[in-house]
Amino acid sequence: MRKVVILWFLTICGGCSPEGNVAAQSGPSPWPDELKRFGDGFPKSGDPCQRVGETEATVDFLDDSATLVGCPNKETASQIKGQAVGEVNGVILILVPHGDTIASDSTANGEGDVKVPDTKYNATASVPCVNVGSADATCPAGVTRSPDQIAVEIQLPKRRQRVLLFDGKGKFVTHSSSQADGSAALQSSATRRDDWTIVTVGKEEYRIPDAFVLGD
């Protein structure tokens, strides 16, 4: 009787193993190792596209005025508002200007965050900055907010710019880097002090108030 059951199973399954049957039903293969992803979806949590960091495969695509996003196929890539700049093992890379998210004109809350007249920013201010090559203790800054990402653009001397990226809840993620100004080699980190986020990028230090990031 046992031999009959085994032969019946092999006939139905075609000689497969339980593990092989599960693998055949699994989803897409993991993203390529050449890409370093962070976050849990773009532009919203759970979305198939994701923000992509710097690796040998992406270094030529980075831009300090935009976010590099990877999408697993053309269908998902078509929903992202930005410029397709390359492809790595089937993953489509898109540069999304800070403040832009999805292709539609609608906003997450149906109303949108107001803009400072004649600017792309939701708010502007002067923020404390140290070791940026200026005798002044503050630097002009502007913030653009979306449900998934908040970008604080800080204007530095000699027409340079430093962009600090936060998630939609105001937690510091990274700084936008480029090979051109050497910022790609800089390490960034953040600490909290009262209602401020203290961000260091190399030797530079920026103090960003929560009210500026979140708009509360």
Side-chain angles (χ1 to χ4, degrees):
M1 180 65 182
R2 182 178 179 184
K3 290 182 178 179
V4 173
V5 173
I6 293 174
L7 287 174
W8 172 81
F9 173 78
L10 292 176
T11 300
I12 297 297
C13 186
C16 64
S17 67
E19 291 82 2
N21 197 34
V22 171
Q25 299 176 11
S26 63
S29 59
W31 282 40
D33 294 337
E34 294 92 334
L35 297 180
K36 181 174 68 175
R37 296 172 291 157
F38 60 93
D40 57 358
F42 184 93
K44 301 185 299 296
S45 177
D47 284 351
C49 299
Q50 291 195 2
R51 293 190 294 271
V52 177
E54 181 184 349
T55 63
E56 291 185 4
T58 64
V59 65
D60 292 334
F61 303 124
L62 296 174
D63 188 311
D64 61 5
S65 65
T67 298
L68 187 62
V69 175
C71 294
N73 52 53
K74 292 182 179 180
E75 181 180 358
T76 54
S78 67
Q79 302 301 312
I80 302 298
K81 186 177 180 181
Q83 177 186 0
V85 293
E87 186 174 322
V88 176
N89 287 348
V91 175
I92 300 171
L93 300 178
I94 301 173
L95 274 179
V96 181
H98 296 316
D100 289 342
T101 52
I102 56 178
S104 72
D105 292 330
S106 63
T107 56
N109 59 13
E111 299 177 357
D113 203 348
V114 296
K115 296 290 180 66
V116 175
D118 300 321
T119 78
K120 64 178 181 179
Y121 300 118
N122 300 120
T124 58
S126 292
V127 299
C129 54
V130 180
N131 296 329
V132 298
S134 173
D136 197 346
T138 61
C139 296
V143 60
T144 55
R145 307 185 186 104
S146 69
D148 188 63
Q149 178 177 275
I150 299 167
V152 175
E153 300 183 9
I154 302 172
Q155 306 304 318
L156 304 179
K158 299 181 180 180
R159 305 186 69 175
R160 295 179 298 124
Q161 185 182 73
R162 184 69 67 233
V163 182
L164 309 180
L165 301 178
F166 298 75
D167 66 18
K169 296 181 179 179
K171 182 180 179 180
F172 177 73
V173 177
T174 187
H175 72 286
S176 186
S177 61
S178 72
Q179 286 272 329
D181 65 1
S183 60
L186 300 178
Q187 298 294 317
S188 59
S189 62
T191 57
R192 294 283 301 164
R193 187 178 304 164
D194 297 327
D195 295 329
W196 296 70
T197 298
I198 315 301
V199 178
T200 58
V201 181
K203 294 182 178 180
E204 304 166 359
E205 181 181 284
Y206 305 95
R207 302 186 180 190
I208 314 298
D210 292 347
F212 186 56
V213 174
L214 298 172
D216 295 336

